[in-house]
Amino acid sequence: QPLQPSVFWYYLLELSFYWSLVFTLPFDVKRKDFKQQIVHHAATIFLISFSYCANYIRIGTLVMVIHDASDCFLEPTKIFNYMKWKKTCDSLFVIFAAVFLISRLVVFPYTVLYNTYYYSMEIFQPFFGYYFVNALLIILQLLHVFWSCLIIHMVYKFILQGTMEKDMRSDTEESDKDEERENIREKEKNGITYFSNITSNNYIQRNESEPLNNRTHLTNGHVKER
């Protein structure tokens, strides 16, 4: 199969995108699925690189298109969530959930895994590339099942509550811990302010309650207690 220039740039774009995710992972919020993200990015980079070197361009392109089908709805959902456009965010989330579940749990195993695992054996004999590619594809499928469970749980909450809950992966993310620490600092700050207000008020009341003859006026206008 000849390599088209458009496919070449598509491969290059996808590979650079996932490498950028790997480089930014240490600085990103460590969510509940942090380890799964590392495994996913590593498997994807190996699959893209190996499929390009072994000229598995057709199956590699199909895998990337299936993954991008749902991601193009995920990013706008995040944007509208940050913009506090709840209705638009909820609508896009429902579309994303439907596309994700269909593409990752139906199209991917029945179109990609079936051809790479069973149909390819009718043409080729088992070799290293066969085991390597299928092992990575099965890892991706297991990750699809993991994320699908989280999405289904979010959809279930959405149906019950009528609005989308926060990201299920954020149950143990560092941002929550940062928020808790910020709340603690705010409470401590409020406590110090409250204590200082009380002490200053008591000082003023005490000074005002004292008779004037117990005070000595200084030349600069200040009052000095005896």
Side-chain angles (χ1 to χ4, degrees):
Q1 298 293 329
L3 177 63
Q4 299 294 329
S6 58
V7 177
F8 166 77
W9 286 109
Y10 185 40
Y11 257 79
L12 192 62
L13 208 64
E14 289 283 336
L15 186 61
S16 59
F17 170 70
Y18 283 104
W19 269 115
S20 67
L21 293 181
V22 171
F23 291 142
T24 56
L25 268 179
F27 311 101
D28 197 4
V29 176
K30 291 180 174 58
R31 303 183 185 274
K32 188 177 181 180
D33 62 343
F34 179 75
K35 295 180 180 179
Q36 287 82 357
Q37 286 185 8
I38 296 178
V39 174
H40 175 269
H41 298 340
T44 304
I45 290 174
F46 277 117
L47 277 172
I48 293 175
S49 303
F50 184 80
S51 63
Y52 181 84
C53 296
N55 202 26
Y56 291 165
I57 303 299
R58 297 176 66 187
I59 196 67
T61 305
L62 181 60
V63 172
M64 292 188 295
V65 169
I66 290 175
H67 282 73
D68 292 340
S70 59
D71 289 344
C72 65
F73 294 102
L74 176 62
E75 304 306 327
T77 302
K78 293 180 180 179
I79 293 175
F80 287 114
N81 183 39
Y82 299 146
M83 294 172 63
K84 306 300 182 182
W85 291 18
K86 296 298 296 181
K87 293 184 178 179
T88 306
C89 177
D90 293 346
S91 301
L92 285 175
F93 171 74
V94 173
I95 298 175
F96 158 75
V99 175
F100 185 93
L101 296 176
I102 294 174
S103 61
R104 306 292 180 94
L105 299 183
V106 179
V107 177
F108 185 82
Y110 286 99
T111 303
V112 176
L113 291 180
Y114 175 80
N115 283 281
T116 58
Y117 192 80
Y118 292 105
Y119 180 71
S120 62
M121 288 298 94
E122 298 180 4
I123 304 175
F124 303 104
Q125 295 296 321
F127 63 107
F128 169 76
Y130 169 81
Y131 298 107
F132 183 73
V133 169
N134 280 285
L136 293 177
L137 292 176
I138 291 174
I139 290 175
L140 288 184
Q141 184 58 29
L142 294 177
L143 293 174
H144 296 165
V145 174
F146 170 77
W147 282 314
S148 297
C149 293
L150 297 181
I151 292 174
I152 292 173
H153 188 72
M154 291 181 65
V155 172
Y156 177 73
K157 291 288 187 180
F158 173 77
I159 295 175
L160 292 181
Q161 300 177 0
T163 183
M164 189 181 70
E165 200 182 44
K166 69 176 183 177
D167 194 343
M168 289 301 300
R169 302 173 304 159
S170 304
D171 290 344
T172 57
E173 67 179 29
E174 286 187 345
S175 60
D176 290 344
K177 299 179 182 178
D178 294 338
E179 185 176 352
E180 292 177 0
R181 287 194 290 265
E182 185 66 27
N183 292 335
I184 294 174
R185 285 195 295 267
E186 188 67 24
K187 290 180 181 179
E188 292 176 351
K189 180 181 178 181
N190 293 336
I192 295 174
T193 305
Y194 178 72
F195 178 76
S196 62
N197 290 336
I198 291 177
T199 53
S200 61
N201 290 336
N202 290 337
Y203 178 77
I204 293 172
Q205 291 176 0
R206 188 178 69 251
N207 288 340
E208 289 180 352
S209 62
E210 291 179 357
L212 293 178
N213 55 7
N214 291 333
R215 304 180 188 178
T216 301
H217 292 272
L218 302 179
T219 56
N220 57 4
H222 294 279
V223 177
K224 179 179 180 181
E225 294 183 2
R226 294 179 181 177

